[in-house]
Amino acid sequence: MFGIENYLGFVLAAILLNLTPGTDSMYIITRSVSQGQAAGIYSVLGITSGTLVHTLLAALGLSVLLANSPYHLYAC
């Protein structure tokens, strides 16, 4: 089991990963610069709605999987 001595490295790595722009950020910036502000806003709306739908479907799928599981957390 890992101890608390790895916590600082974890926090630094998490901050670095959150500050690094991903492919969606690069797509939005590129589209905004090349096609204007409206295209950038449409890109943001498209990526955000896709993320929300993906998260919702993942949550519903996980809840169905857990509900049909033969092992329940509350079973004795």
Side-chain angles (χ1 to χ4, degrees):
M1 177 151 292
F2 295 112
I4 193 72
E5 65 271 1
N6 297 323
Y7 185 69
L8 180 61
F10 170 77
V11 170
L12 291 174
I15 290 172
L16 181 66
L17 285 172
N18 281 312
L19 292 177
T20 305
T23 55
D24 54 349
S25 298
M26 290 298 165
Y27 172 73
I28 292 167
I29 291 169
T30 303
R31 185 135 181 221
S32 297
V33 168
S34 65
Q35 298 177 0
Q37 183 179 5
I41 291 173
Y42 289 137
S43 299
V44 169
L45 292 174
I47 289 173
T48 303
S49 64
T51 302
L52 289 174
V53 168
H54 178 75
T55 304
L56 176 68
L57 292 177
L60 291 175
L62 182 60
S63 63
V64 169
L65 183 70
L66 292 175
N68 292 328
S69 173
Y71 301 105
H72 295 286
L73 297 175
Y74 54 84
C76 294

